[in-house]
């Protein structure tokens, strides 16, 4: 299946220099997304690898689409005024933050408004900002670029969906490669006008659901998807509402991925359907400007998920603005890592922030994975836990960046604060706790952060921590002396053969000490010896 033809040839985003009123950071860039619901700006510093680091964000809920997507099809005077003021503030902030290059785009609200070009002319006259009108297909490609750079889209069929105020972008990938991009005139603000009453009448909800389903019939539905990723404020707000209605605390990690189960989304829709708009605005996750559009947005998201045939959605904080940043950076899609490598690359990049212990991290990760494979019959864990163990090993001593004393606890806090966009916060919590328990105290419900974990997370941490302790001990000297590891398992006895042509007495003594937790957790006695020494 080939991507639908764009209405206009692919063009580079207009880039312009902004006069800086602060000490300039070389190459600092800004990306501005003039959307139907809100105007976003991201300020970022490019890095040598072709990526970027976000240094500031700005967002204003201007709601240009409220008038532009109505029957009048014009931006109201208030919308124009609010939009001009927001963009003036953002360009001023960009100058103060030392931005030297900026790019700005506008999407469906401005694209469809009869006076949209007049608005952009006023933006140029007042702020000097050149804003490019994006086609829906180009918008989808930039969203794909942003998500593809941060999320492992897997080897199978994946749908990336962006539910905006004025349009919905449906992006179908196979093996991480772009298969099709379709943009529909179907958005939360556009659909809000079709709901009657507060709360909306059951009849108008049924009518809207039918209309949404009919519009989605135009999409090239793939086979059952292995993954669905949703971007935009609508999806994030639905995830926040799911936590709110379930009485869960919002995520405390800055991960760019969150899981939203369809059964939780259904509960959100059920609750919103019977709440008057004046009370929806009182819900903590809902901004006042989004109170009238979150319910129709949730209905669209649910229908898209049904078309993708998934039972859960990964909500990503990557969206159009990050795609604009990558366009400015100039990193091509060919330079992006293959699916399956993104998570490992993020962990590796973070580990390299402590270069003095990077080789120790790599050696520990190699030995931890080897030990995991050799003892599967003991711990009974699978590929997912193996991956978490490797990543915890790659970061277990990252706390050295703060200081040696209590560095295991520093590692926990650094990992939970790390920009690991490709991970679900629950995975980060497991990885951080395994790293935290690589030394000193063992996992205990007396520790508040461990007690707050779900049962399956606690089980994973309890079983993985002993493996990491042994792997860390096998490189106690940080000299990478251990070449390989073999195990024989007979009943409740595990014999570890540590292969090395060097003196590894320090490693052997440390491993015997660190094996105590393994003995306790798995009920096995561990014997450690070098090479092929005779068994006692």
């Amino acid at each position: 299946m080939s991507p639908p033809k764009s209405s206009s040839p692919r063009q580079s985003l207009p880039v312009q220099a902004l006069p800086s009123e602060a000490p300039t950071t070389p190459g600092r860039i800004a990306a501005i997304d003039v959307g139907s619901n809100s105007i976003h700006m991201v300020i970022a510093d490019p890095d040598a690898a072709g990526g970027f680091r976000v240094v500031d964000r700005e967002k204003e809920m201007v709601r240009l689409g409220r008038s532009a997507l109505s029957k009048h099809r014009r931006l109201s005077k208030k919308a124009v005024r609010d939009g001009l003021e927001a963009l003036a503030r953002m360009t001023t902030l960009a100058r103060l933050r030392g931005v030297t290059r900026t790019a700005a785009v506008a999407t469906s609200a401005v694209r469809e408004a009869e006076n949209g070009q007049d608005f952009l002319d006023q933006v140029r006259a007042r702020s000097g900002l050149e804003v490019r009108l994006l086609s829906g297909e180009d918008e989808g490609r930039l969203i794909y670029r942003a998500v593809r750079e941060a999320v492992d889209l897997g080897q199978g069929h994946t749908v990336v969906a962006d539910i905006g105020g004025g349009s919905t972008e449906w992006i179908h990938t196979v093996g991480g490669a772009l298969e099709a991009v379709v943009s529909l005139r179907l958005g939360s603000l556009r659909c809000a006008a079709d709901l009657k009453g507060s709360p909306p009448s059951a009849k108008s909800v049924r009518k809207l659901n039918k209309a949404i389903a009919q519009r989605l019939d135009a999409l090239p539905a793939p086979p059952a998807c292995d993954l669905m990723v949703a971007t935009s404020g609508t999806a994030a707000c639905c995830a926040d509402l799911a936590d709110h209605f379930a009485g869960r605390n919002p995520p405390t990690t800055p991960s760019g991925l969150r899981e939203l189960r369809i059964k939780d989304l259904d509960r959100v829709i059920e609750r919103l359907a019977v709440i008057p708009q004046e009370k929806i605005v009182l819900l903590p996750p809902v901004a006042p400007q989004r109170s009238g559009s979150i319910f129709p947005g949730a209905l669209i998201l649910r229908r898209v998920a049904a078309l993708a045939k998934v039972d859960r959605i990964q909500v990503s904080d990557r969206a159009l603005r990050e795609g604009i940043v990558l366009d400015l950076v100039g990193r091509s899609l060919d330079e992006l890592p293959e699916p399956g490598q993104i998570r490992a690359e993020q962990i590796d990049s973070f580990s390299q922030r402590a270069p003095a212990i990077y080789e120790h991290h790599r050696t520990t990760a190699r030995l931890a994975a080897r030990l995991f494979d050799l003892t599967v019959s003991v711990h009974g864990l699978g590929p997912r836990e193996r991956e978490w163990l490797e990543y915890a090993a790659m970061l277990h001593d990252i706390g050295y960046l703060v200081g040696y004393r209590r560095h295991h606890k520093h590692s926990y806090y650094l990992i939970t604060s790390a920009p690991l966009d490709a991970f679900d916060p629950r995975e980060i919590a497991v990885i951080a706790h395994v790293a935290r328990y690589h030394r000193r105290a063992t996992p205990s419900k007396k520790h508040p952060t461990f007690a707050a974990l779900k049962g399956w997370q606690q089980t994973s941490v309890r079983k993985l921590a002993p493996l990491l302790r042994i792997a860390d001990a096998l490189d106690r000297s940080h000299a990478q002396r251990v070449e390989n590891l073999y195990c024989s398992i007979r009943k409740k006895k595990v014999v570890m053969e540590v292969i090395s042509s060097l003196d590894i007495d320090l490693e052997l003594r440390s491993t015997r000490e660190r094996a105590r937790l393994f003995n306790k957790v798995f009920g096995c006695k561990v014997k450690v010896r070098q090479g092929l020494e005779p068994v006692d």
Side-chain angles (χ1 to χ4, degrees), residues 125-147:
R126 293 199 180 192
S127 65
L129 186 66
E130 186 77 34
V131 182
R132 175 189 163 194
L133 276 176
L134 280 185
S135 70
E137 290 76 15
D138 279 345
E139 184 178 350
R141 289 188 178 91
L142 283 169
I143 293 167
Y144 162 73
R145 185 187 186 116
V147 174

Side-chain angles (χ1 to χ4, degrees), residues 97-115:
R97 294 303 305 269
V99 168
T100 59
R101 293 181 297 154
T102 187
V105 302
T107 55
S108 58
V110 179
R111 186 169 61 232
E112 296 180 34
E114 293 177 357
N115 58 339

